[in-house]
Amino acid sequence: MNIQIGRGKSARRAYGIDEIALVPGGKTLDPSLADTHWSIGNIHREIPIIASAMDGVVDVNMAVLLSELGALGVINLDGIQTRYEDTTPILDKIASVGKDEFVSLMQKIYAEPVKLELIERRIKEIKARGAIAAASSTPINAEKYGFLAAQAGCDLFFVQSTVVSTTHLAPEGYSSLNLAEFCAKMPIPVILGNCVTYEVTLELLQTGAAAILVGIGPGAACTSRGVLGVGIPQATAVADCAAARNDFYIQTGKYIPIIADGGLITGGDICKAIACGADGVMIGSPLARAAEAPGRGFHWGMATPSPVLPRGTRIKVGTTGSIAQILRGPAGLDDGTHNLLGALKTSMGTLGASTIQEMQQVEVVIAPSLLTEGKVYQKAQQLGMGK
Amino acid sequence: MNIQIGRGKSARRAYGIDEIALVPGGKTLDPSLADTHWSIGNIHREIPIIASAMDGVVDVNMAVLLSELGALGVINLDGIQTRYEDTTPILDKIASVGKDEFVSLMQKIYAEPVKLELIERRIKEIKARGAIAAASSTPINAEKYGFLAAQAGCDLFFVQSTVVSTTHLAPEGYSSLNLAEFCAKMPIPVILGNCVTYEVTLELLQTGAAAILVGIGPGAACTSRGVLGVGIPQATAVADCAAARNDFYIQTGKYIPIIADGGLITGGDICKAIACGADGVMIGSPLARAAEAPGRGFHWGMATPSPVLPRGTRIKVGTTGSIAQILRGPAGLDDGTHNLLGALKTSMGTLGASTIQEMQQVEVVIAPSLLTEGKVYQKAQQLGMGK
Amino acid sequence: MNIQIGRGKSARRAYGIDEIALVPGGKTLDPSLADTHWSIGNIHREIPIIASAMDGVVDVNMAVLLSELGALGVINLDGIQTRYEDTTPILDKIASVGKDEFVSLMQKIYAEPVKLELIERRIKEIKARGAIAAASSTPINAEKYGFLAAQAGCDLFFVQSTVVSTTHLAPEGYSSLNLAEFCAKMPIPVILGNCVTYEVTLELLQTGAAAILVGIGPGAACTSRGVLGVGIPQATAVADCAAARNDFYIQTGKYIPIIADGGLITGGDICKAIACGADGVMIGSPLARAAEAPGRGFHWGMATPSPVLPRGTRIKVGTTGSIAQILRGPAGLDDGTHNLLGALKTSMGTLGASTIQEMQQVEVVIAPSLLTEGKVYQKAQQLGMGK
Amino acid sequence: MNIQIGRGKSARRAYGIDEIALVPGGKTLDPSLADTHWSIGNIHREIPIIASAMDGVVDVNMAVLLSELGALGVINLDGIQTRYEDTTPILDKIASVGKDEFVSLMQKIYAEPVKLELIERRIKEIKARGAIAAASSTPINAEKYGFLAAQAGCDLFFVQSTVVSTTHLAPEGYSSLNLAEFCAKMPIPVILGNCVTYEVTLELLQTGAAAILVGIGPGAACTSRGVLGVGIPQATAVADCAAARNDFYIQTGKYIPIIADGGLITGGDICKAIACGADGVMIGSPLARAAEAPGRGFHWGMATPSPVLPRGTRIKVGTTGSIAQILRGPAGLDDGTHNLLGALKTSMGTLGASTIQEMQQVEVVIAPSLLTEGKVYQKAQQLGMGK
């Protein structure tokens, strides 16, 4: 399948979620019969959606609501919640600042150090309300924050960076996080990411990860592809990594879920990611539009506040309804961003898939979105380029 | 023809109507010699165009006018016409409401129950004016409405849902419509849809359907692809389903027409759908622009009023002329949306096709519309993105 | 090279001029050494550019200027020049009318009958000023106008319709133009078009045509693809028809030029059409921008005034300079629409082609314009979609 | 890999930088460990970025600053700096003139002759401040300016035209520059360009060039593709020419760098050009945005002032920060146009490449930018087409 870019370079064609569509077969079922349950670590959930560990998306209250609704939210231990006791004035400021001052404001806000006692407190606040607590950190802080979070009652721990590898070369005097050792020592399940290839997924699975996050460069609030040239369209990334999960299952008997993270906006996008092989999805911007989201109608990426190379963008996503409406409906919008569970169940019904595993097997066609006028229109509107 | 999306997933490339163009050969004929007649069930028509069973497109008066002009209009038995005796204030309200209130208004309007006596009355009103009466319902209501409509004098009955299958799994306590039994029992021809594959078309043909509707996800007022991820570009869908029609004809001697439904806007689109193998087309938005259309210049999809997962959009299409002008000219617009019959005849003359069957055989090329500036301009204008 | 659109339909991928680019090789030459001369019939010209027989582009004065500058202009015998003695108020009206009244105005203006004495007079006016006279008509009027034009001193006669074929089926009581007989009887060279395939080109060459016009559907003022679904991207059409010219030359020893007609806007487009195999080009909109053009900054297609199925669009092209500046420079614009001869010579120099025949052999790559930002920007601006 | 455009013409598919993305593998490294050093001639530099010899980008002061920051700037000996002693009023005028007067103003400004004493003076001004001096001229002036520049202390000499070849046919009475003789006679390293093919690169390497510039037609301020039809997407051009460099190295043992020139805007673009095989890049518009750039927020191409066929465009790029911030950060913008060195190091770390040579080997995928919404948005904004 190798295509020659030039004499010195070959490449494979990779496909994005927007380039595919799902094909109904000879069977349909009532949406109420579609079972969307999945498991991550020892946690069972009805909705295969995880809210990204982004400061505009998840705070203590959102984590509790997401948990109550059958989904999951991850709190960012490198973010505002653990840097500031009272985050209200900080989030107000981010929402009110002009475009020109945004990058420097973010660099200043994120210069405030993380407080270990706030890590503990946030986890406990979530657990106190009877919810599932999930937290994330970058690899560099994983050992420092991870054990502390686990002791505070955290249920799942995410170690996330733009790109994760099992072989990281650190500067002299520093040591890299040994992922296998870390997973072994941690008393709670550890989720690792992000990666995009079969090979790296297999290596991460061998470290003992409880789930793998898949996706580099496709997200709305992420400009990795522009800044670094790095990224892989999500349909191909998910299909490749799902193949690693399947092979690992055949070899070991352990079924470890993979989670599509980035670039998914509508219910249709979520359905397509699962059809490419994902067990669940991690989404940011669609949930940042909830009235309860801490971002006040704004959304920004995790690499945004980098002091030297900021590469996320603050996107005004607006507020369109409650988190309950976004996840479980009834939909007040007709553009695929409300009632995500209903959309998944209806899509599964339409495609005759009664479980997530059957949904992973549905037929896919390559069908460029650009040539479907409705889609162009819709995308243009979401980007604010239309009328 | 399988393309690998990733290790775990292969797909076929599907093509949209916008991606193809028709190639003139060595023969031409005068447009007056092009014969566009076709048959559906026992009904013979000069114009192979059916107006969609959409509330903004067909009411009693439009059904009569379409019939008189040589085409056909289908009245939606699950719509406004059968829920309200006087539809005028309802349609006025839909046309006047703002974008933000639209979805909730639609959910409220369509919460009013359908009245069986209105089903009967609408059919009789059409027949009283000497026109062909065609009506549609969703599968769930087909038995309840179908026999009633037939008794009232209905000529053709359409059973239509986003996706139809012969194997539908219903929740316990409910039973699915048995399509073969229904077709056999109904005293009038039954048209079934929508589907997009060779296999399902063949199964539907075996139930005794009088025609098959082809198209999932490509329409302007339909956001199935965004909400559900489901859809297949129309050129491929039509070509696949036409192959099933041909094979069924070879096996049984019965020629059952297939109707391309969705995503067709201009006369050129209609010509291309037929060139891919369609016998006729079902269109909504181009006819919603008629002065006589009930939508008052607006158009919305059939899934729009869903109480939990609305997935149509109200599109302002405007009013550009009479239904006579749109179907038979003379054209007052030069963008391919007036005089659709004239366009079809001129295209057939240009391509040397003297019948619909010859038109199905003309040469097609893949020719991305994006690269033809006129087309980009035209599409952009239709979407309101241009000047 | 056949691609399956669906089970019942295969197609070839056709390429547009915008999708290709020219590749410099190991040789370059000074632009002054590039020889752009060509012959059509017995006429020798320095510039391989013909102005389209469009009413916004060519009148008597433009035909004279084009001839003096080394190019050629064709006067439309079915147009305004032969319907009205004084065209000034007519052309003023076309330029001043609003968008909504345009189609009906055109239908009214072109309802005025053609006067045979005006045909004679226009040709004589051109010849009186010492210029080359070329005129065109549709096939239906070719015999009536052609001999008259020849007698009046016309040098070249174009028989042009959207699609021409050697086998045209006319309604009973009418007879089709026999192209071979017509070419044989006419005392002056006859140019035929338009066509897009190898087979039709070969048939037209066998009728005795002095040149073949290639291009259906790609032009800016032509909406054939939208209205009729008919059209073929120009790079493929030109390459196919050029192959027929070459084979005809091998068989007969006669070298008959083919002319790319439609969709060419910039100097680069002209260079690319020649690189695909054209001997010359016919262009409309770039010349409609001349101060001397009759269109007063507007341009419209030949099918525009159809009383039943208008399918051209009036495009505001503006006035950017003199016809001398557009053809021979110096350029006052940097977007490729001024100094077309200079652009061709510079391109030939850059590519090391010293004659049109060598230019037809240069290397071409497929290089989607969409991915070159400058091109997107430029095209968007030309279409009025940018800032 | 040949694709048939039509019967008479085949072509290869060429790929642009926007169509590819880089794939992280199983190894990562800390950005501080990424070594970006490279050599050109006998000059060693930390940053593989050269500022284009464009009048809006490089003057004496910018050349000095670029040198101090670890990069390189080339002064244009055919430009404003050598035509005018005091360039301030000239550059002010260019920045203040309206769009309509721009082309004629440029033609007038560049009609002023180049002064040999200004060539000498500019080089000496750069050297006096302890910086590396690099200068460029067109082939026609190379002998006249080159030896003079070398005597004045110039370190590197660029001979640049849109397209360079070793076999140039000049008009009678003129002689072409013999590139091999010129390289041999020049006391300082000579860099040649631009070219886009394997064959021409190999021929230029055999002349003794110290580096090769690769890129025709892809630049933002260059409209070669529109005006001349000439151009090749940059990813393919770089990969082809890099293959020639590798083969030349195998044959001769001499490693001569190739420099990707044109069409690169963001840090990601630079990373991708290197991943296709480039040793360094030459960029214009991203550096024209420096507060210290002579263009005052404007940027224009080298072919812009052509008296007969201008084909550059003046683009308003704005001023976004200091040249130090653009090259070495910290970034004040999050769109990939600040801290280009940081972006390169971070990308190399992400991809596990510790040297430029390793970066040339990273995995590439074909991943159309159009399908990544963030990219569409970003590109649309850069082109001023978005909100």
Side-chain angles (χ1 to χ4, degrees):
Chain A
M1 274 299 183
N2 257 18
I3 298 164
Q4 208 177 23
I5 289 179
R7 286 206 194 197
K9 202 84 192 181
S10 287
R12 180 162 78 120
R13 173 69 158 88
Y15 292 90
I17 288 291
D18 279 352
E19 292 183 274
I20 63 168
L22 310 180
V23 185
K27 203 180 107 185
T28 50
L29 52 89
D30 191 87
S32 65
L33 301 176
D35 179 357
T36 62
H37 283 82
W38 77 313
S39 299
I40 172 168
N42 42 4
I43 306 288
H44 304 280
R45 303 269 75 203
E46 184 190 359
I47 307 181
I49 295 175
I50 301 176
S52 304
M54 287 167 151
D55 285 345
V57 181
V58 181
D59 58 6
V60 167
N61 186 47
M62 270 289 273
V64 171
L65 294 173
L66 286 157
S67 180
E68 287 170 359
L69 288 161
L72 196 65
V74 183
I75 202 152
N76 177 13
L77 300 186
D78 294 298
I80 288 169
Q81 298 296 326
T82 55
R83 291 180 201 266
Y84 296 92
E85 193 171 326
D86 181 7
T87 59
T88 305
I90 305 299
L91 291 162
D92 285 345
K93 184 85 184 152
I94 291 173
S96 65
V97 84
K99 203 179 149 61
D100 290 345
E101 305 155 75
F102 172 66
V103 169
S104 61
L105 173 71
M106 294 303 271
Q107 289 169 337
K108 199 179 128 212
I109 285 174
Y110 285 82
E112 176 73 22
V114 169
K115 280 98 186 161
L116 296 183
E117 66 271 24
L118 284 178
I119 292 182
E120 223 178 323
R121 194 192 306 174
R122 298 305 178 210
I123 306 287
K124 288 188 172 163
E125 285 169 351
I126 295 169
K127 295 308 297 179
R129 290 174 61 187
I132 298 167
S136 87
S137 88
T138 52
I140 210 162
N141 294 323
E143 296 195 300
K144 193 156 71 174
Y145 301 169
F147 298 108
L148 189 64
Q151 277 165 5
C154 193
D155 297 291
L156 295 170
F157 194 72
F158 288 69
V159 180
Q160 230 182 327
S161 61
T162 303
V163 175
V164 76
S165 78
T166 52
T167 317
H168 180 74
L169 197 62
E172 252 180 273
Y174 293 80
S175 69
S176 301
L177 178 67
N178 184 316
L179 295 171
E181 278 180 22
F182 181 71
C183 291
K185 279 196 226 153
M186 276 286 282
I188 57 174
V190 175
I191 292 92
L192 300 177
N194 285 18
C195 70
V196 286
T197 61
Y198 176 91
E199 292 76 14
V200 176
T201 301
L202 212 51
E203 286 173 22
L204 293 176
L205 289 170
Q206 285 156 355
T207 65
I212 306 293
L213 294 158
V214 172
I216 298 173
C222 163
T223 55
S224 286
R225 200 162 153 196
V227 177
L228 306 180
V230 172
I232 188 159
Q234 193 64 307
T236 293
V238 169
D240 277 358
C241 298
R245 175 202 58 208
N246 294 347
D247 288 355
F248 185 75
Y249 175 65
I250 291 166
Q251 289 158 24
T252 66
K254 291 183 214 157
Y255 188 89
I256 308 298
I258 68 155
I259 299 158
D261 173 24
L264 309 176
I265 292 178
T266 65
D269 292 343
I270 293 170
C271 297
K272 290 192 271 179
I274 294 173
C276 287
D279 296 284
V281 301
M282 177 174 260
I283 58 177
S285 60
L287 304 181
R289 301 169 89 191
E292 300 92 339
R296 286 124 173 84
F298 288 94
H299 176 52
W300 57 95
M302 287 192 300
T304 302
S306 160
V308 290
L309 190 65
R311 55 183 189 281
T313 289
R314 183 187 62 173
I315 294 179
K316 182 168 185 159
V317 292
T319 298
T320 65
S322 68
I323 182 65
Q325 211 172 1
I326 290 172
L327 284 180
R328 306 189 81 107
L333 285 179
D334 53 12
D335 63 357
T337 62
H338 274 190
N339 194 3
L340 299 175
L341 178 61
L344 177 56
K345 281 176 169 278
T346 303
S347 184
M348 288 171 72
T350 297
L351 299 163
S354 54
T355 63
I356 295 292
Q357 277 67 37
E358 284 182 29
M359 186 69 171
Q360 291 168 346
Q361 306 302 324
V362 300
E363 191 187 337
V364 164
V365 285
I366 296 168
S369 62
L370 278 162
L371 304 159
T372 312
E373 72 198 278
K375 192 80 184 181
V376 171
Y377 178 66
Q378 185 188 343
K379 189 120 287 182
Q381 274 198 325
Q382 282 164 3
L383 297 175
M385 288 165 70
K387 54 184 166 181
Chain B
M1 274 299 182
N2 257 18
I3 298 164
Q4 208 178 24
I5 289 179
R7 288 207 193 193
K9 202 85 191 180
S10 286
R12 182 162 77 121
R13 174 70 159 86
Y15 292 90
I17 288 292
D18 278 353
E19 293 182 273
I20 63 168
L22 309 179
V23 185
K27 203 180 107 184
T28 50
L29 51 90
D30 191 86
S32 65
L33 301 176
D35 179 358
T36 61
H37 282 83
W38 77 311
S39 298
I40 172 168
N42 44 2
I43 306 287
H44 304 280
R45 303 270 74 202
E46 184 189 1
I47 307 180
I49 295 175
I50 301 175
S52 304
M54 287 168 152
D55 285 347
V57 180
V58 182
D59 58 6
V60 167
N61 186 50
M62 270 290 273
V64 171
L65 294 173
L66 287 157
S67 181
E68 287 170 358
L69 288 160
L72 196 65
V74 183
I75 201 153
N76 177 14
L77 300 185
D78 294 298
I80 289 169
Q81 299 295 326
T82 54
R83 292 179 199 267
Y84 295 93
E85 194 170 325
D86 181 6
T87 58
T88 305
I90 306 299
L91 291 162
D92 285 345
K93 184 84 185 154
I94 291 173
S96 65
V97 85
K99 204 178 147 60
D100 290 344
E101 304 155 76
F102 172 66
V103 169
S104 61
L105 173 71
M106 294 302 272
Q107 288 169 339
K108 198 179 129 208
I109 286 174
Y110 285 82
E112 176 73 24
V114 169
K115 281 97 187 163
L116 297 182
E117 67 271 23
L118 284 177
I119 292 182
E120 223 178 323
R121 196 192 305 173
R122 298 305 177 210
I123 305 288
K124 287 187 172 163
E125 285 170 352
I126 295 169
K127 295 309 296 178
R129 290 173 61 186
I132 298 167
S136 87
S137 87
T138 52
I140 210 163
N141 294 322
E143 296 195 299
K144 193 156 70 172
Y145 301 168
F147 298 108
L148 190 65
Q151 278 166 7
C154 192
D155 297 292
L156 296 169
F157 194 73
F158 288 69
V159 180
Q160 230 182 327
S161 60
T162 304
V163 174
V164 76
S165 78
T166 52
T167 318
H168 180 74
L169 196 62
E172 253 180 90
Y174 293 80
S175 69
S176 301
L177 178 68
N178 184 315
L179 295 171
E181 278 180 21
F182 182 72
C183 291
K185 279 196 224 153
M186 276 286 282
I188 57 174
V190 176
I191 292 92
L192 300 177
N194 285 17
C195 71
V196 285
T197 61
Y198 176 92
E199 292 76 13
V200 176
T201 301
L202 212 51
E203 286 174 22
L204 293 176
L205 289 170
Q206 285 155 355
T207 65
I212 306 294
L213 294 158
V214 172
I216 297 173
C222 163
T223 54
S224 286
R225 201 164 152 195
V227 177
L228 306 181
V230 172
I232 189 160
Q234 193 64 307
T236 292
V238 169
D240 277 357
C241 298
R245 174 202 60 209
N246 294 348
D247 288 354
F248 185 76
Y249 175 65
I250 290 166
Q251 289 159 25
T252 66
K254 291 182 214 158
Y255 188 89
I256 309 298
I258 69 155
I259 300 158
D261 172 24
L264 310 175
I265 292 177
T266 65
D269 293 342
I270 294 169
C271 298
K272 289 192 272 179
I274 294 172
C276 286
D279 296 283
V281 300
M282 177 173 260
I283 57 177
S285 59
L287 304 180
R289 302 170 89 192
E292 300 91 340
R296 287 121 172 87
F298 287 95
H299 176 53
W300 57 95
M302 287 194 300
T304 302
S306 160
V308 289
L309 190 66
R311 55 184 187 280
T313 288
R314 183 186 62 170
I315 293 179
K316 181 165 188 163
V317 293
T319 298
T320 65
S322 68
I323 182 65
Q325 211 173 0
I326 289 172
L327 283 181
R328 307 189 79 108
L333 285 179
D334 54 11
D335 63 358
T337 63
H338 273 190
N339 195 4
L340 298 176
L341 178 61
L344 177 56
K345 281 175 169 280
T346 303
S347 185
M348 289 171 72
T350 297
L351 299 163
S354 54
T355 63
I356 294 292
Q357 277 66 37
E358 284 182 28
M359 186 68 170
Q360 291 168 347
Q361 306 302 324
V362 300
E363 190 187 338
V364 165
V365 285
I366 296 167
S369 62
L370 278 162
L371 304 159
T372 313
E373 73 199 277
K375 191 80 184 182
V376 172
Y377 178 66
Q378 185 188 343
K379 188 120 290 182
Q381 275 198 324
Q382 283 165 2
L383 297 177
M385 288 166 68
K387 55 185 169 183
Chain C
M1 277 297 182
N2 257 18
I3 297 164
Q4 209 178 22
I5 289 177
R7 287 208 193 194
K9 202 85 192 179
S10 286
R12 181 162 77 121
R13 174 70 159 87
Y15 292 89
I17 288 291
D18 278 352
E19 293 182 274
I20 63 169
L22 309 179
V23 185
K27 203 179 107 184
T28 50
L29 51 88
D30 191 87
S32 65
L33 301 175
D35 179 358
T36 61
H37 283 82
W38 76 311
S39 299
I40 171 167
N42 43 4
I43 306 289
H44 304 280
R45 303 271 75 202
E46 185 190 359
I47 306 180
I49 294 176
I50 303 175
S52 304
M54 287 168 153
D55 286 346
V57 180
V58 182
D59 58 7
V60 167
N61 186 50
M62 270 290 273
V64 172
L65 294 173
L66 285 157
S67 179
E68 288 171 359
L69 287 161
L72 196 65
V74 182
I75 200 152
N76 177 15
L77 299 186
D78 295 297
I80 289 168
Q81 299 294 326
T82 55
R83 293 179 199 266
Y84 296 93
E85 194 171 324
D86 181 6
T87 59
T88 305
I90 306 299
L91 290 162
D92 285 345
K93 184 85 186 152
I94 291 173
S96 64
V97 84
K99 202 178 148 60
D100 290 344
E101 305 155 76
F102 172 67
V103 170
S104 61
L105 173 72
M106 294 303 272
Q107 289 169 337
K108 198 178 129 209
I109 286 174
Y110 285 82
E112 176 73 24
V114 168
K115 280 94 187 167
L116 297 182
E117 68 271 23
L118 284 178
I119 291 181
E120 225 177 322
R121 195 193 304 174
R122 299 303 178 211
I123 304 288
K124 288 187 171 164
E125 285 171 353
I126 295 169
K127 294 308 298 178
R129 290 173 60 185
I132 298 167
S136 86
S137 88
T138 52
I140 210 163
N141 294 322
E143 296 195 297
K144 193 156 71 172
Y145 302 168
F147 298 108
L148 188 66
Q151 277 166 6
C154 193
D155 297 291
L156 295 169
F157 193 72
F158 288 69
V159 181
Q160 230 181 328
S161 59
T162 304
V163 174
V164 77
S165 79
T166 52
T167 318
H168 180 74
L169 196 62
E172 253 180 271
Y174 293 81
S175 69
S176 300
L177 177 68
N178 184 314
L179 296 172
E181 279 181 20
F182 181 71
C183 290
K185 281 196 222 154
M186 276 286 281
I188 58 172
V190 176
I191 292 91
L192 301 176
N194 286 20
C195 70
V196 285
T197 61
Y198 176 92
E199 292 77 13
V200 176
T201 302
L202 212 52
E203 287 174 21
L204 293 176
L205 289 170
Q206 285 156 354
T207 65
I212 306 294
L213 294 158
V214 172
I216 297 173
C222 165
T223 55
S224 286
R225 200 163 153 197
V227 178
L228 306 180
V230 172
I232 188 159
Q234 193 65 308
T236 292
V238 169
D240 277 357
C241 298
R245 174 202 60 208
N246 294 348
D247 288 355
F248 185 77
Y249 175 65
I250 290 166
Q251 290 159 24
T252 66
K254 291 181 214 158
Y255 187 91
I256 309 298
I258 68 154
I259 300 157
D261 173 22
L264 309 175
I265 293 177
T266 65
D269 292 343
I270 294 170
C271 298
K272 290 192 272 179
I274 294 172
C276 287
D279 297 284
V281 301
M282 177 172 261
I283 58 177
S285 60
L287 305 180
R289 302 169 90 192
E292 300 92 340
R296 287 125 173 86
F298 288 94
H299 177 52
W300 57 94
M302 287 194 299
T304 302
S306 161
V308 290
L309 190 64
R311 57 182 186 282
T313 289
R314 183 186 62 171
I315 293 179
K316 180 163 188 165
V317 293
T319 298
T320 65
S322 68
I323 182 65
Q325 210 174 0
I326 289 172
L327 283 180
R328 305 190 80 105
L333 285 178
D334 54 10
D335 63 357
T337 63
H338 274 190
N339 195 3
L340 298 175
L341 178 61
L344 177 57
K345 281 176 169 280
T346 303
S347 184
M348 289 171 72
T350 297
L351 298 163
S354 55
T355 63
I356 295 291
Q357 278 66 37
E358 285 182 26
M359 187 68 171
Q360 292 167 347
Q361 306 301 324
V362 300
E363 190 187 338
V364 164
V365 284
I366 296 167
S369 62
L370 278 162
L371 304 159
T372 313
E373 74 199 276
K375 191 82 184 180
V376 172
Y377 178 66
Q378 185 188 342
K379 189 120 290 181
Q381 274 198 324
Q382 282 165 3
L383 297 175
M385 287 165 68
K387 54 184 167 183
Chain D
M1 276 298 183
N2 257 16
I3 298 164
Q4 208 177 23
I5 289 178
R7 287 208 193 194
K9 201 84 191 180
S10 287
R12 179 163 78 122
R13 173 70 159 87
Y15 292 89
I17 288 291
D18 279 352
E19 293 182 274
I20 63 168
L22 310 180
V23 185
K27 203 180 107 185
T28 51
L29 51 90
D30 191 87
S32 65
L33 300 176
D35 179 357
T36 61
H37 283 83
W38 77 311
S39 299
I40 172 167
N42 42 4
I43 306 288
H44 303 280
R45 303 270 76 201
E46 185 190 359
I47 307 181
I49 295 175
I50 302 176
S52 304
M54 288 168 152
D55 286 346
V57 181
V58 181
D59 59 6
V60 167
N61 186 49
M62 269 291 273
V64 172
L65 294 173
L66 286 157
S67 180
E68 288 171 358
L69 287 161
L72 196 65
V74 183
I75 201 153
N76 177 14
L77 299 185
D78 294 299
I80 289 168
Q81 299 295 326
T82 55
R83 293 179 200 266
Y84 296 92
E85 195 171 323
D86 181 6
T87 59
T88 304
I90 306 299
L91 290 162
D92 285 345
K93 184 85 185 151
I94 292 173
S96 65
V97 85
K99 201 178 149 61
D100 290 345
E101 304 155 74
F102 172 66
V103 169
S104 62
L105 173 71
M106 294 301 273
Q107 289 169 337
K108 200 179 127 211
I109 285 174
Y110 285 82
E112 176 73 24
V114 169
K115 281 98 187 163
L116 296 183
E117 66 272 23
L118 283 177
I119 291 181
E120 224 178 322
R121 194 192 306 174
R122 298 305 177 208
I123 305 287
K124 287 187 172 163
E125 285 170 352
I126 295 169
K127 294 307 297 177
R129 290 173 61 186
I132 298 167
S136 88
S137 88
T138 52
I140 210 161
N141 294 323
E143 295 195 298
K144 194 156 69 175
Y145 301 169
F147 298 108
L148 190 64
Q151 278 166 5
C154 193
D155 297 292
L156 296 169
F157 193 73
F158 288 69
V159 180
Q160 231 183 325
S161 60
T162 304
V163 174
V164 77
S165 78
T166 51
T167 318
H168 180 75
L169 197 62
E172 254 180 89
Y174 293 80
S175 69
S176 301
L177 177 67
N178 184 314
L179 295 172
E181 278 181 21
F182 181 72
C183 290
K185 280 197 224 155
M186 276 287 281
I188 57 175
V190 175
I191 292 91
L192 301 176
N194 286 18
C195 70
V196 286
T197 61
Y198 176 92
E199 292 76 13
V200 176
T201 301
L202 211 53
E203 286 174 22
L204 293 176
L205 289 170
Q206 284 155 355
T207 65
I212 306 294
L213 294 158
V214 172
I216 297 173
C222 163
T223 55
S224 286
R225 199 162 154 195
V227 177
L228 306 180
V230 172
I232 188 159
Q234 193 65 308
T236 292
V238 170
D240 277 357
C241 298
R245 175 203 58 210
N246 293 347
D247 288 354
F248 185 75
Y249 175 65
I250 290 166
Q251 289 158 26
T252 66
K254 292 182 214 159
Y255 188 91
I256 308 297
I258 69 155
I259 299 158
D261 173 23
L264 309 176
I265 293 177
T266 64
D269 292 344
I270 294 169
C271 297
K272 290 192 271 179
I274 294 172
C276 286
D279 297 284
V281 300
M282 178 173 259
I283 58 177
S285 59
L287 304 181
R289 302 169 89 192
E292 299 92 340
R296 288 123 172 84
F298 288 95
H299 177 53
W300 56 95
M302 288 193 299
T304 302
S306 161
V308 291
L309 190 65
R311 54 184 188 282
T313 290
R314 182 187 61 172
I315 293 178
K316 182 165 186 164
V317 293
T319 298
T320 65
S322 68
I323 183 65
Q325 210 173 0
I326 289 172
L327 283 180
R328 305 190 80 107
L333 285 177
D334 53 12
D335 62 357
T337 62
H338 273 190
N339 195 4
L340 298 175
L341 178 61
L344 177 56
K345 281 176 169 278
T346 303
S347 184
M348 288 171 72
T350 297
L351 298 163
S354 54
T355 63
I356 295 292
Q357 277 66 38
E358 284 182 28
M359 187 69 170
Q360 292 168 345
Q361 306 303 324
V362 300
E363 192 188 336
V364 164
V365 285
I366 296 168
S369 62
L370 278 161
L371 304 159
T372 312
E373 73 198 275
K375 192 81 184 180
V376 171
Y377 178 67
Q378 186 188 344
K379 189 120 288 181
Q381 274 198 324
Q382 282 164 3
L383 297 175
M385 287 167 70
K387 55 185 165 179

